[in-house]
């Protein structure tokens, strides 16, 4: 069979010997292609009922009875990255190569993301996966860095809390630091008080595994300062304001922000962006014990502001405030934080669309544009100044849990905003960190939503 198709408007790559070609069609392109095929091929495709609908697949046999070509359906609304993403689950183990119908680099990324499996605890033999060959002009280094970043974040989020305690998260970050020659320091337990991180200590002190601040620095000290901060609540019981069982079930994912920024930091270092990178992860377990922090306690913070604890289950913003204050005192050019912070953001935007808060319109537009271009979308919500009065405390300067059920994502962002003075530009991403259902390339489980968008925005700004 031919390996090119004019109606696809793309030049077909060379197909490696022995690899089965994959051709991606919409309905119109399929009709054009079939018109030029032998009658037996056209008859076979029609007999299977394949009409190039999105997600549909047809294996076309050759004269020897073996699969000669894979046909895959799409529509114009399906981005290139997801056009092959479902195939690793539907094809027999073999070597494949994209013939036409999608950008090879994007299709390869989607294929690899679709091949992800979290099988650390599975006792059965690990199943082999089909392999997609790459044309020579695909940037393998970039592809590998992206996939490794996404897989690292997914693995960390998916790991049960028993094996992903604050110390385990620090070990994972240390491995990334060692790989890229980054400076690395961990401040844990009582040392947090000695070094003025009292809010992190207060939230995590009740856990058997001590709270800690993970601190990684890499790159040219004279380069533009880019600082990433991620919420690392390795498990969230709700503290003394304990969650119900249903609300606690997925709380191993409450370190999804930390996992995302660690993956993002690895990608920045792997692709050697010309920045001075700093990564800060406050890592705690919000546990229940006699020394747990309590409702209406007033907690001191690194910045000097005091926080009145309206609810112990609003702990993420409390630990982030110390890390953000530390980050901001260096006056970075760009400060990004990622956190599984509020259910209110999920109510407003659903589980697949992270909320973006930003104090710089140009930065916000850059992140949104790159999110749209990479099909890694976000949606901007306002840092509405009229709601600042809602976070004012009574006994303390501010409260971590304003009264009333409304605007929770906004008031949480406004809380964080109090600690970022000094940063030239700041963006806060309130993310789910989890795929609640499986979609092509995005299996159910831990997910680094917005990671690819953030990297693209950073690269575009500084590379």
């Amino acid at each position: 069979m031919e390996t090119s198709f004019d109606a696809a408007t793309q030049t077909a790559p060379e197909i490696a010997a022995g690899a089965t070609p994959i051709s991606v069609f919409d309905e119109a392109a399929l009709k054009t292609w079939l018109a030029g095929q032998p009658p037996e091929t056209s008859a076979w495709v029609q007999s299977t009922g394949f009409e190039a609908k999105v997600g549909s697949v047809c294996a076309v046999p050759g004269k020897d009875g073996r699969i000669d070509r894979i046909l895959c359906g799409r529509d114009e609304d399906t981005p290139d990255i997801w056009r092959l993403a479902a195939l690793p689950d539907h094809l027999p183990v073999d070597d494949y190569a994209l013939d036409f119908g999608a950008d090879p680099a994007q299709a390869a990324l989607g294929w690899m993301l679709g091949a992800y499996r979290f099988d650390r605890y599975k006792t059965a033999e690990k199943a082999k996966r089909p392999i997609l060959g790459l044309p020579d002009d695909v940037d393998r280094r970039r592809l590998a860095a992206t996939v490794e970043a996404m897989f690292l974040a997914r693995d960390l989020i998916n790991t049960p809390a028993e094996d992903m305690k604050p110390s385990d998260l620090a070990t994972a970050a240390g491995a990334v630091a060692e790989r890229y020659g980054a400076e690395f320091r961990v401040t844990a337990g009582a040392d947090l008080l000695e070094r003025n991180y009292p809010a992190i200590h207060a939230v995590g002190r009740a856990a058997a595994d001590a709270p800690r601040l993970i601190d990684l620095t890499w790159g040219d000290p004279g380069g533009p300062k880019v600082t990433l901060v991620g919420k690392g609540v390795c498990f969230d019981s709700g503290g003394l304001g304990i969650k119900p069982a249903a609300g606690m079930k997925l709380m191993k994912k409450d370190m999804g922000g930390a996992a995302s920024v660690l993956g993002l930091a690895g990608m920045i270092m792997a692709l050697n962006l010309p920045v001075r990178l700093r990564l800060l992860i406050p890592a705690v377990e919000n546990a229940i014990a006699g020394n747990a922090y309590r409702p209406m306690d007033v907690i001191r913070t690194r910045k000097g502001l005091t926080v009145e604890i309206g609810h112990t289950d609003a702990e993420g913003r409390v630990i982030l405030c110390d890390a953000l204050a530390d980050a901001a005192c260096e006056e970075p050019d760009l400060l990004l934080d990622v956190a599984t912070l509020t259910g209110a953001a999920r109510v407003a935007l659903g589980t697949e669309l992270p909320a973006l808060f930003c104090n710089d319109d140009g930065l916000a537009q850059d992140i949104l544009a790159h999110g749209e271009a990479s099909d890694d979308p976000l949606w901007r919500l306002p840092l509405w100044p009229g709601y600042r009065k809602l976070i004012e405390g009574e006994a303390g300067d501010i409260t971590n849990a304003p009264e009333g059920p409304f605007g929770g994502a906004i008031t949480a962002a406004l809380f964080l905003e109090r600690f970022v003075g000094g940063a030239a530009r700041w963006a806060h991403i309130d993310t789910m960190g989890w795929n609640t259902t499986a979609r092509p390339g995005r299996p159910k489980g831990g997910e680094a939503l917005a990671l690819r968008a953030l990297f693209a925005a950073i690269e575009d700004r500084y590379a």
Side-chain angles (χ1 to χ4, degrees):
M1 286 185 168
E2 297 179 0
T3 58
S4 64
F5 180 48
D6 293 340
T9 68
Q10 296 191 32
T11 301
E14 291 293 325
I15 301 298
T20 301
I22 299 173
S23 305
V24 185
F25 297 97
D26 58 22
E27 294 182 54
L30 176 63
K31 291 178 181 178
T32 303
W33 182 79
L34 286 175
Q37 300 306 305
E40 60 269 23
T41 299
S42 181
W44 170 266
V45 172
Q46 292 176 11
S47 71
T48 65
F50 179 77
E51 297 179 343
K53 301 292 186 183
V54 175
S56 60
V57 177
C58 176
V60 179
K63 293 180 179 179
D64 59 359
R66 297 172 58 85
I67 296 175
D68 188 68
R69 179 181 295 271
I70 299 295
L71 311 183
C72 182
R74 68 169 174 86
D75 62 20
E76 291 304 321
D77 294 329
T78 305
D80 281 359
I81 185 174
W82 308 127
R83 289 182 179 178
L84 305 189
L87 295 186
D89 280 337
H90 297 288
L91 298 182
V93 175
D94 205 344
D95 293 333
Y96 297 89
L98 175 66
D99 191 9
F100 54 76
D103 174 79
Q106 287 295 300
L109 175 58
W111 174 287
M112 296 175 79
L113 293 178
Y116 172 85
R117 291 292 177 273
F118 183 70
D119 53 11
R120 174 177 173 178
Y121 299 94
K122 297 289 187 180
T123 56
E125 183 179 354
K126 305 302 185 284
K128 294 182 179 180
R129 311 292 288 169
I131 296 172
L132 182 71
L134 299 177
D136 291 340
D137 59 354
V138 169
D139 187 339
R140 286 164 167 77
R141 183 165 167 258
R142 174 178 292 272
L143 179 62
T146 306
V147 172
E148 288 177 7
M150 295 292 293
F151 279 24
L152 172 62
R154 287 175 174 182
D155 280 348
L156 293 175
I157 299 169
N158 284 326
T159 300
E162 176 64 19
D163 292 327
M164 191 47 60
K165 299 180 290 294
S167 57
D168 299 308
L169 184 54
T171 298
V176 173
E178 183 177 7
R179 178 176 181 181
Y180 297 107
E183 297 179 18
F184 186 70
R185 184 175 77 172
V186 176
T187 304
D191 288 345
L192 289 167
L193 297 176
E194 287 289 323
R195 295 178 179 169
N196 193 25
Y197 300 101
I200 298 173
H201 183 271
V203 173
R205 69 192 183 200
D209 198 79
R212 60 203 67 216
L213 178 68
I214 299 163
D215 191 344
L216 177 156
T217 306
W218 171 90
D220 179 2
K225 294 179 181 178
V226 173
T227 301
L228 310 177
V229 177
K231 174 186 169 184
V233 177
C234 294
F235 190 80
D236 182 16
S237 69
L240 294 177
I242 190 169
K243 294 177 182 286
M248 208 183 299
K249 185 176 180 180
L250 281 183
M251 283 302 99
K252 69 175 185 177
K253 78 170 185 65
D254 213 17
M255 39 65 68
S260 295
V261 295
L262 183 55
L264 176 57
M267 193 173 176
I268 289 170
M269 293 186 287
L271 295 177
N272 201 31
L273 295 193
V275 299
R276 192 285 237 159
L277 173 68
R278 190 179 185 197
L279 170 71
L280 291 167
I281 296 175
V284 305
E285 180 178 347
N286 188 19
I288 300 170
N291 65 335
Y293 80 131
R294 296 162 290 266
M296 302 312 292
D297 279 355
V298 177
I299 305 298
R300 296 195 176 275
T301 70
R302 183 177 184 84
K303 188 173 182 178
L305 291 173
T306 56
V307 176
E308 184 176 344
I309 303 302
H311 203 309
T312 61
D313 195 22
E315 81 298 329
R317 67 201 73 181
V318 181
I319 65 170
L320 285 171
C321 71
D322 274 357
L324 288 171
D326 188 4
C329 73
E330 289 192 322
E331 299 184 347
D333 188 66
L334 177 61
L335 175 56
L336 300 176
D337 79 78
V338 183
T340 52
L341 204 61
T342 68
R346 311 288 77 76
V347 171
L349 300 177
T351 60
E352 298 172 9
L353 195 59
L356 168 67
F357 296 87
C358 190
N359 64 359
D360 183 273
D361 290 342
L363 174 61
Q365 289 303 315
D366 287 347
I367 293 173
L368 294 174
H370 284 291
E372 183 176 355
S374 58
D375 201 53
D376 194 19
L378 306 92
W379 196 268
R380 191 180 185 186
L381 294 181
L383 288 164
W384 184 246
Y387 292 165
R388 286 176 181 153
K389 60 182 179 293
L390 299 178
I391 63 170
E392 294 176 0
E394 294 182 2
D397 294 321
I398 53 177
T399 177
N400 76 327
E403 298 290 336
F406 305 118
I410 298 174
T411 55
L414 291 171
F415 180 100
L416 298 181
E417 185 187 37
R418 294 292 298 271
F419 298 89
V420 300
R425 280 164 286 273
W426 164 65
H428 158 60
I429 291 86
D430 190 337
T431 181
M432 177 70 173
W434 191 266
N435 292 322
T436 57
T437 58
R439 293 174 291 158
R442 293 147 291 185
K444 184 177 180 179
E447 187 62 284
L449 298 164
L451 186 156
R452 294 182 294 109
L454 293 175
F455 176 82
I458 294 170
E459 181 181 42
D460 187 45
R461 184 171 289 262
Y462 299 108

